[in-house]
């Protein structure tokens, strides 16, 4: 395209989830409540793990990091989506759009690696219990968490370096509620198919590698659990079931959005909402409702908070 006729796109228009004003008001209320639940639920988990000495163990240290990541995962897109329900024209700046692309992939890749670390933690706890605290010491846990953030950062940087240099010369409407990487690439004034395939392959490399490592870890864990005593097996199975549920909730939408896209607009929007809203919402519920130690910590926290007031 002739450079003299090429204009630079400074903003993008988001189509959002609905066009009816009444539906948008309803969605505003629903997603505002969900976002408040996401933030409060994950803050409760962070508070309990930080303040309760009974939860100062490698598993809960990693769970606290997962809650922290989930808060960022949702905050990257949900507040903008909520405020846009009240706007007739939903506009996002070029810089804002690029930041959404970066943080979406940075946080998602980081969480994938963190889920692998959590699976490794359960593998060591169940398959090598006598060496658990030696292997999963604070230094190693911190290093593994730092590794997950580093991989996420590198993954996000790769995407933003590629996309920010694409020639955007006119089309600027995105049929979604946030700047999703495949939709942004399609707006570039070039043949985007090869680049889109390359980006999907890169996502697939991270997602499939993590998924295979998770599958391997939990296979070993389940094989070990089947050989153990009933009491130990029941507790281990409950913990692993929660972990496996979280893995499936997180990976299934990611795979269908980036690795194996179905290219069905309403389904892509559903997976995007599920991935950015319901995954961070369900994680605290899954870990707190199925975890006896977390429920006991909640009782102790409430008791300590209300105790002084009752006594006075």
């Amino acid at each position: 395209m002739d450079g003299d006729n090429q204009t630079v796109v400074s903003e993008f228009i988001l189509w959002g989830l609905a066009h009816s004003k009444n539906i948008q008001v309803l969605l505003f209320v629903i997603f505002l409540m969900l976002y408040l639940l996401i933030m409060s639920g994950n803050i409760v988990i962070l508070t309990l793990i930080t303040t309760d000495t009974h939860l100062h163990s490698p598993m809960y240290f990693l769970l606290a990091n997962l809650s922290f990541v989930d808060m960022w995962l949702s905050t990257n897109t949900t507040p903008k989506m909520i405020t846009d329900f009240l706007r007739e024209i939903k506009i996002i700046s070029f810089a804002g759009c690029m930041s959404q692309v970066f943080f979406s992939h940075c946080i998602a890749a980081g969480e994938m690696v963190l889920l692998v670390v959590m699976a490794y933690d359960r593998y060591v706890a169940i398959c090598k219990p006598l060496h658990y605290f030696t292997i999963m010491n604070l230094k190693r846990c911190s290093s593994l968490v730092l590794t997950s953030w580093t991989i996420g950062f590198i993954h996000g940087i790769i995407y933003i370096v590629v996309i920010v240099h694409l020639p955007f010369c006119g089309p600027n409407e995105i049929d979604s509620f946030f700047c999703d990487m495949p939709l942004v690439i399609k707006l570039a004034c070039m043949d985007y198919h090869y680049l889109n395939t390359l980006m999907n392959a890169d996502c697939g490399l991270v997602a499939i590698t993590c998924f295979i490592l998770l599958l391997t870890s939990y296979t070993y864990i389940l094989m070990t659990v089947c050989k153990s005593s009933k009491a130990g097996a029941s507790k281990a199975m409950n913990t692993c079931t929660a972990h496996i549920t979280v893995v499936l909730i997180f990976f299934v939408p990611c795979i269908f959005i980036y690795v194996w896209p179905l290219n069905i607009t309403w389904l892509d929007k559903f997976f995007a909402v599920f991935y950015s809203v319901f995954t961070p919402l369900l994680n605290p519920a899954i870990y707190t409702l199925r975890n006896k130690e977390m429920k006991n910590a909640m009782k102790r926290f409430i008791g300590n908070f209300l105790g002084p007031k009752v006594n006075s």
Side-chain angles (χ1 to χ4, degrees):
M1 182 175 287
D2 187 358
D4 294 336
N5 296 327
Q6 184 170 332
T7 57
V8 177
V9 171
S10 61
E11 61 186 23
F12 295 93
I13 298 173
L14 303 172
W15 287 10
L17 296 178
H19 300 291
S20 167
K21 278 191 175 182
N22 292 334
I23 293 176
Q24 289 193 73
V25 170
L26 177 62
L27 290 175
F28 169 80
V29 174
I30 292 172
F31 282 105
L32 177 62
M33 295 299 294
L34 290 176
Y35 182 66
L36 292 175
L37 284 173
I38 289 168
M39 299 304 290
S40 57
N42 284 292
I43 287 171
V44 165
I45 288 180
L46 283 168
T47 303
L48 290 177
I49 294 173
T50 304
T51 59
D52 196 312
T53 55
H54 295 85
L55 301 180
H56 289 177
S57 67
M59 184 180 84
Y60 292 107
F61 173 76
L62 296 174
L63 177 57
N65 278 277
L66 180 65
S67 289
F68 181 74
V69 172
D70 277 338
M71 289 168 65
W72 280 102
L73 179 68
S74 184
T75 300
N76 182 44
T77 57
T78 308
K80 170 67 176 166
M81 175 182 67
I82 292 170
T83 56
D84 277 349
F85 285 132
L86 303 179
R87 295 189 179 117
E88 192 160 339
I89 301 176
K90 305 162 183 36
I91 294 174
I92 185 169
S93 67
F94 184 86
C97 185
M98 295 302 108
S99 69
Q100 281 194 342
V101 172
F102 169 73
F103 284 111
S104 291
H105 289 274
C106 173
I107 296 166
E111 182 157 342
M112 286 180 188
V113 179
L114 184 59
L115 289 171
V116 173
V117 173
M118 293 177 74
Y120 175 70
D121 170 74
R122 290 301 83 206
Y123 164 76
V124 175
I126 293 168
C127 300
K128 299 181 179 180
L130 297 178
H131 304 285
Y132 177 62
F133 288 103
T134 304
I135 297 173
M136 297 302 294
N137 54 61
L138 180 60
K139 184 178 179 181
R140 178 160 294 178
C141 286
S142 301
S143 298
L144 290 171
V145 169
L146 183 61
T147 300
S148 72
W149 276 106
T150 303
I151 292 173
F153 179 78
I154 293 171
H155 184 70
I157 283 292
I158 290 171
Y159 276 83
I160 200 65
V161 166
V162 172
I163 293 176
V164 79
H165 288 102
L166 292 179
F168 296 102
C169 59
N172 68 337
E173 296 187 0
I174 299 173
D175 190 5
S176 185
F177 62 92
F178 76 108
C179 286
D180 203 3
M181 183 269 296
L183 300 178
V184 174
I185 288 177
K186 289 179 181 179
L187 298 179
C189 300
M190 56 175 283
D191 185 2
Y192 63 85
H193 294 93
Y194 174 74
L195 180 60
N196 200 36
T197 302
L198 198 63
M199 295 290 99
N200 287 340
D202 184 56
C203 279
L205 180 64
V206 176
I208 299 302
T209 300
C210 289
F211 195 73
I212 289 172
L213 290 172
L214 286 163
L215 194 63
T216 304
S217 296
Y218 286 118
T219 300
Y220 275 107
I221 290 169
L222 293 174
M223 287 170 61
T224 304
V225 165
C226 291
K227 299 174 185 176
S228 61
S229 63
K230 282 188 177 181
S234 177
K235 183 178 179 181
M237 188 63 76
N238 282 337
T239 304
C240 288
T241 301
H243 280 244
I244 292 169
T245 304
V246 167
V247 166
L248 291 175
I249 287 172
F250 183 79
F251 272 86
V252 169
C254 281
I255 288 171
F256 284 113
I257 293 172
Y258 300 111
V259 182
W260 189 20
L262 299 175
N263 295 319
I264 302 171
T265 302
W266 70 266
L267 197 56
D268 288 342
K269 288 184 180 182
F270 170 78
F271 282 132
V273 169
F274 195 92
Y275 158 78
S276 59
V277 177
F278 290 100
T279 298
L281 176 68
L282 291 173
N283 284 357
I286 290 167
Y287 281 112
T288 53
L289 293 177
R290 294 187 62 87
N291 191 303
K292 188 176 179 181
E293 290 175 342
M294 286 294 293
K295 287 189 276 189
N296 289 337
M298 177 68 79
K299 291 176 183 176
R300 286 191 294 270
F301 182 81
I302 294 172
N304 292 333
F305 183 73
L306 296 178
K309 294 184 178 181
V310 174
N311 293 332
S312 61

